Short mmCIF file of all heavy atoms in Angstrom, two decimals:
data_model
loop_
_atom_site.label_atom_id
_atom_site.label_comp_id
_atom_site.label_asym_id
_atom_site.label_seq_id
_atom_site.Cartn_x
_atom_site.Cartn_y
_atom_site.Cartn_z
N GLY B 27 -60.16 -5.97 39.81
CA GLY B 27 -59.12 -4.99 40.16
C GLY B 27 -57.71 -5.49 39.99
O GLY B 27 -56.88 -5.34 40.89
N LEU B 28 -57.40 -6.04 38.82
CA LEU B 28 -56.06 -6.60 38.60
C LEU B 28 -55.03 -5.51 38.34
O LEU B 28 -55.24 -4.60 37.51
CB LEU B 28 -56.07 -7.57 37.41
CG LEU B 28 -56.94 -8.82 37.53
CD1 LEU B 28 -56.80 -9.67 36.28
CD2 LEU B 28 -56.57 -9.62 38.77
N TYR B 29 -53.91 -5.64 39.04
CA TYR B 29 -52.74 -4.80 38.81
C TYR B 29 -51.54 -5.73 38.60
O TYR B 29 -51.47 -6.79 39.21
CB TYR B 29 -52.42 -3.92 40.02
CG TYR B 29 -53.33 -2.73 40.23
CD1 TYR B 29 -54.63 -2.89 40.70
CD2 TYR B 29 -52.88 -1.44 39.98
CE1 TYR B 29 -55.47 -1.81 40.91
CE2 TYR B 29 -53.70 -0.34 40.20
CZ TYR B 29 -54.99 -0.53 40.66
OH TYR B 29 -55.81 0.56 40.87
N LYS B 30 -50.61 -5.29 37.77
CA LYS B 30 -49.34 -6.02 37.66
C LYS B 30 -48.21 -5.01 37.57
O LYS B 30 -48.19 -4.14 36.70
CB LYS B 30 -49.32 -6.94 36.44
CG LYS B 30 -48.07 -7.83 36.40
CD LYS B 30 -47.97 -8.71 37.63
CE LYS B 30 -46.66 -9.47 37.71
NZ LYS B 30 -46.54 -10.26 38.95
N ARG B 31 -47.28 -5.18 38.51
CA ARG B 31 -46.13 -4.30 38.58
C ARG B 31 -44.85 -5.11 38.45
O ARG B 31 -44.70 -6.17 39.05
CB ARG B 31 -46.14 -3.55 39.92
CG ARG B 31 -45.03 -2.53 40.10
CD ARG B 31 -45.09 -1.91 41.48
NE ARG B 31 -46.30 -1.15 41.69
CZ ARG B 31 -46.45 0.12 41.29
NH1 ARG B 31 -45.45 0.74 40.66
NH2 ARG B 31 -47.58 0.76 41.52
N TYR B 32 -43.92 -4.61 37.64
CA TYR B 32 -42.57 -5.17 37.55
C TYR B 32 -41.61 -4.11 38.06
O TYR B 32 -41.31 -3.14 37.36
CB TYR B 32 -42.21 -5.54 36.11
CG TYR B 32 -43.04 -6.67 35.54
CD1 TYR B 32 -44.16 -6.41 34.76
CD2 TYR B 32 -42.70 -8.00 35.79
CE1 TYR B 32 -44.92 -7.45 34.23
CE2 TYR B 32 -43.45 -9.04 35.26
CZ TYR B 32 -44.55 -8.76 34.48
OH TYR B 32 -45.30 -9.79 33.96
N GLY B 33 -41.18 -4.26 39.33
CA GLY B 33 -40.34 -3.23 39.92
C GLY B 33 -41.14 -1.94 40.03
O GLY B 33 -42.23 -1.90 40.61
N ALA B 34 -40.61 -0.88 39.44
CA ALA B 34 -41.28 0.42 39.49
C ALA B 34 -42.28 0.60 38.35
O ALA B 34 -43.00 1.59 38.29
CB ALA B 34 -40.25 1.54 39.45
N VAL B 35 -42.32 -0.36 37.43
CA VAL B 35 -43.16 -0.22 36.23
C VAL B 35 -44.51 -0.91 36.44
O VAL B 35 -44.57 -2.11 36.71
CB VAL B 35 -42.46 -0.82 34.99
CG1 VAL B 35 -43.35 -0.68 33.76
CG2 VAL B 35 -41.10 -0.15 34.77
N LEU B 36 -45.57 -0.14 36.30
CA LEU B 36 -46.93 -0.67 36.42
C LEU B 36 -47.42 -0.96 35.00
O LEU B 36 -47.67 -0.05 34.22
CB LEU B 36 -47.84 0.35 37.10
CG LEU B 36 -49.24 -0.10 37.50
CD1 LEU B 36 -49.18 -1.24 38.52
CD2 LEU B 36 -50.04 1.07 38.05
N THR B 37 -47.56 -2.25 34.66
CA THR B 37 -47.91 -2.61 33.28
C THR B 37 -49.41 -2.65 33.04
O THR B 37 -49.87 -2.32 31.95
CB THR B 37 -47.30 -3.98 32.90
OG1 THR B 37 -47.74 -4.97 33.85
CG2 THR B 37 -45.79 -3.92 32.89
N VAL B 38 -50.19 -3.09 34.03
CA VAL B 38 -51.66 -3.02 33.93
C VAL B 38 -52.22 -2.55 35.26
O VAL B 38 -51.64 -2.82 36.32
CB VAL B 38 -52.30 -4.36 33.52
CG1 VAL B 38 -51.86 -4.80 32.14
CG2 VAL B 38 -52.03 -5.45 34.52
N ARG B 39 -53.36 -1.87 35.21
CA ARG B 39 -53.94 -1.34 36.45
C ARG B 39 -55.46 -1.33 36.37
O ARG B 39 -56.04 -1.02 35.33
CB ARG B 39 -53.41 0.07 36.74
CG ARG B 39 -53.73 1.11 35.68
CD ARG B 39 -53.00 2.42 35.97
NE ARG B 39 -53.33 3.47 35.03
CZ ARG B 39 -52.81 3.59 33.83
NH1 ARG B 39 -51.93 2.73 33.38
NH2 ARG B 39 -53.17 4.60 33.05
N GLU B 40 -56.07 -1.71 37.49
CA GLU B 40 -57.52 -1.66 37.68
C GLU B 40 -58.28 -2.33 36.54
O GLU B 40 -59.20 -1.75 35.95
CB GLU B 40 -57.98 -0.20 37.83
CG GLU B 40 -59.35 -0.04 38.49
CD GLU B 40 -59.45 -0.73 39.85
OE1 GLU B 40 -58.60 -0.50 40.71
OE2 GLU B 40 -60.38 -1.54 40.01
N ILE B 41 -57.90 -3.57 36.27
CA ILE B 41 -58.58 -4.34 35.22
C ILE B 41 -59.67 -5.20 35.85
O ILE B 41 -59.38 -6.07 36.67
CB ILE B 41 -57.58 -5.24 34.46
CG1 ILE B 41 -56.44 -4.42 33.86
CG2 ILE B 41 -58.32 -6.05 33.39
CD1 ILE B 41 -56.86 -3.42 32.81
N SER B 42 -60.90 -4.94 35.47
CA SER B 42 -62.03 -5.73 35.97
C SER B 42 -62.95 -6.07 34.81
O SER B 42 -63.21 -5.23 33.95
CB SER B 42 -62.82 -4.94 37.03
OG SER B 42 -62.02 -4.68 38.17
N PHE B 43 -63.42 -7.31 34.79
CA PHE B 43 -64.41 -7.73 33.80
C PHE B 43 -65.00 -9.06 34.27
O PHE B 43 -64.48 -9.71 35.17
CB PHE B 43 -63.79 -7.89 32.40
CG PHE B 43 -62.63 -8.84 32.33
CD1 PHE B 43 -62.82 -10.22 32.27
CD2 PHE B 43 -61.33 -8.36 32.32
CE1 PHE B 43 -61.75 -11.09 32.22
CE2 PHE B 43 -60.25 -9.23 32.26
CZ PHE B 43 -60.46 -10.60 32.21
N ARG B 44 -66.09 -9.47 33.63
CA ARG B 44 -66.68 -10.78 33.90
C ARG B 44 -67.18 -11.37 32.59
O ARG B 44 -67.58 -10.64 31.67
CB ARG B 44 -67.81 -10.67 34.92
CG ARG B 44 -68.96 -9.79 34.53
CD ARG B 44 -70.08 -9.83 35.57
NE ARG B 44 -69.61 -9.36 36.87
CZ ARG B 44 -69.70 -8.12 37.29
NH1 ARG B 44 -70.22 -7.18 36.49
NH2 ARG B 44 -69.28 -7.78 38.48
N ILE B 45 -67.14 -12.69 32.51
CA ILE B 45 -67.64 -13.40 31.33
C ILE B 45 -68.61 -14.48 31.82
O ILE B 45 -68.23 -15.34 32.63
CB ILE B 45 -66.51 -14.07 30.52
CG1 ILE B 45 -65.35 -13.10 30.29
CG2 ILE B 45 -67.05 -14.57 29.18
CD1 ILE B 45 -64.15 -13.75 29.62
N ARG B 46 -69.82 -14.43 31.32
CA ARG B 46 -70.82 -15.44 31.67
C ARG B 46 -70.93 -16.46 30.53
O ARG B 46 -70.39 -16.27 29.45
CB ARG B 46 -72.17 -14.78 31.93
CG ARG B 46 -72.16 -13.89 33.18
CD ARG B 46 -73.56 -13.36 33.50
NE ARG B 46 -73.57 -12.67 34.78
CZ ARG B 46 -73.29 -11.39 34.95
NH1 ARG B 46 -72.95 -10.65 33.90
NH2 ARG B 46 -73.31 -10.84 36.15
N ARG B 47 -71.65 -17.54 30.82
CA ARG B 47 -71.88 -18.57 29.80
C ARG B 47 -72.48 -17.93 28.55
O ARG B 47 -73.41 -17.12 28.63
CB ARG B 47 -72.83 -19.63 30.33
CG ARG B 47 -72.20 -20.59 31.33
CD ARG B 47 -73.28 -21.47 31.98
NE ARG B 47 -74.15 -22.10 31.00
CZ ARG B 47 -73.90 -23.25 30.36
NH1 ARG B 47 -72.79 -23.91 30.63
NH2 ARG B 47 -74.75 -23.74 29.48
N GLY B 48 -71.93 -18.30 27.40
CA GLY B 48 -72.47 -17.81 26.14
C GLY B 48 -71.92 -16.46 25.70
O GLY B 48 -72.31 -15.95 24.65
N GLU B 49 -71.02 -15.89 26.50
CA GLU B 49 -70.46 -14.57 26.16
C GLU B 49 -69.06 -14.72 25.58
O GLU B 49 -68.28 -15.59 25.98
CB GLU B 49 -70.43 -13.67 27.38
CG GLU B 49 -71.82 -13.28 27.88
CD GLU B 49 -71.79 -12.36 29.08
OE1 GLU B 49 -70.72 -12.18 29.70
OE2 GLU B 49 -72.87 -11.83 29.41
N VAL B 50 -68.73 -13.80 24.65
CA VAL B 50 -67.38 -13.70 24.10
C VAL B 50 -66.88 -12.30 24.42
O VAL B 50 -67.38 -11.31 23.87
CB VAL B 50 -67.36 -13.93 22.57
CG1 VAL B 50 -65.93 -13.87 22.05
CG2 VAL B 50 -68.01 -15.26 22.20
#
């Protein structure tokens, strides 16, 4: 659930993922 805000600007929202061994 990553969000990044700069002041009033939301640059990324609700970023979720996972990487296991052997995955690209």
Side-chain angles (χ1 to χ4, degrees):
L28 297 181
Y29 285 74
K30 187 59 187 177
R31 183 183 295 277
Y32 294 96
V35 179
L36 189 62
T37 56
V38 297
R39 61 188 184 279
E40 199 54 52
I41 303 297
S42 296
F43 57 80
R44 60 176 60 93
I45 313 174
R46 294 186 172 87
R47 285 171 50 86
E49 293 181 348
V50 183

